[in-house]
Amino acid sequence: MKILKCYLAYTQKSYRLTMLILFPTLFLAGLCMLCYFTKWPGIFWWVWLLMVWPLVMVKGDYFDGLYRIRENSLEYVKSSGRGVRLVKNAVLGDCIQKFLWTALVYGAGYALLYLLDVGNSISAESMILVLYIFTMAVLYGFGNILLCTMISRFFTIFSIQLFCAYGAMFLAFVFLLLTVYAAPAVNMVAAAMYVLAVCGVNGYVLKKKMGEMYYDQ
């Protein structure tokens, strides 16, 4: 609960409404329409969702997410003994929401693929493959979003920020190919190590940046 409160304190209401409600709803509604009204297979549109969602998440963070943390009560953070802990909890809350919403959007999109595509019913034999692909998509998607968001925070130029967001799309495509062609056991280990490595680097960068905030520039 403390983590949630800290996260809510450092994000704008407009960001939460847009990124947690509006965009996921629009994405899934658009996926339904595209699968239903086009002749292209639903898997194409789900791949499109896998690539576009990281782009939206990274750029959304730049406008109203924790990227704006330097504009949100920075003086309080520097003057309070609880400031560092509050920011760490806020960043942790941001990571949690990114993971949960990525799983929700990808899971709903994958379910729609099977519901709207004729002849794609899930059998007991195919359930393992479905769960494997979904798990890989969520892990790699979350890792890409977290990595590219972290890198984008080092820059204030919009074009470079956009380049980082496109990098998330490119990584999504690369890791999708790994999911298709790599051995499942190897790929699952690689995905877990990738997420842990990104989380570790994110924590290190946070600790370093928090220390730099206490030096006047």
Side-chain angles (χ1 to χ4, degrees):
M1 185 61 66
K2 290 182 179 179
I3 293 175
L4 177 61
K5 289 182 179 179
C6 291
Y7 169 71
L8 296 178
Y10 279 100
T11 52
Q12 302 292 331
K13 182 181 295 185
S14 59
Y15 171 81
R16 298 194 298 271
L17 290 175
T18 302
M19 300 303 300
L20 305 184
I21 298 177
L22 180 60
F23 275 166
T25 302
L26 290 177
F27 267 86
L28 295 177
L31 186 66
C32 287
M33 296 178 64
L34 291 171
C35 290
Y36 186 79
F37 290 107
T38 64
K39 295 182 179 180
W40 291 359
I43 187 64
F44 173 86
W45 298 115
W46 191 68
V47 171
W48 171 82
L49 178 64
L50 292 182
M51 298 180 65
V52 175
W53 179 249
L55 171 67
V56 173
M57 290 292 285
V58 174
K59 289 310 301 175
D61 188 86
Y62 171 80
F63 288 110
D64 284 313
L66 286 184
Y67 178 84
R68 298 296 186 183
I69 199 169
R70 290 185 175 272
E71 301 175 10
N72 297 335
S73 306
L74 180 59
E75 293 303 321
Y76 171 76
V77 172
K78 296 172 66 175
S79 62
S80 172
R82 299 189 304 167
V84 174
R85 180 175 298 178
L86 290 176
V87 174
K88 288 182 178 180
N89 286 341
V91 174
L92 179 58
D94 184 62
C95 293
I96 293 174
Q97 73 85 9
K98 280 182 169 61
F99 177 81
L100 292 178
W101 251 254
T102 299
L104 175 64
V105 172
Y106 284 1
Y110 203 22
L112 289 172
L113 164 67
Y114 279 90
L115 290 175
L116 298 177
D117 264 8
V118 178
N120 275 337
S121 58
I122 300 178
S123 62
E125 292 76 13
S126 64
M127 180 60 70
I128 296 178
L129 178 61
V130 169
L131 293 177
Y132 163 70
I133 295 176
F134 168 70
T135 302
M136 293 300 98
V138 172
L139 290 177
Y140 282 133
F142 168 69
N144 297 338
I145 290 170
L146 188 59
L147 175 64
C148 293
T149 299
M150 177 183 64
I151 294 175
S152 69
R153 288 174 180 164
F154 285 94
F155 306 97
T156 57
I157 302 175
F158 180 83
S159 58
I160 299 181
Q161 291 269 336
L162 188 61
F163 181 78
C164 292
Y166 285 139
M169 292 184 64
F170 174 75
L171 288 175
F173 177 74
V174 171
F175 288 128
L176 180 64
L177 293 179
L178 287 178
T179 300
V180 174
Y181 294 106
V186 175
N187 197 31
M188 291 185 70
V189 173
M193 292 180 63
Y194 175 62
V195 171
L196 290 176
V198 172
C199 290
V201 173
N202 187 61
Y204 171 79
V205 171
L206 169 64
K207 182 178 180 180
K208 187 174 185 299
K209 289 298 181 181
M210 286 300 299
E212 294 176 354
M213 286 199 315
Y214 289 88
Y215 295 94
D216 293 331
Q217 297 180 352

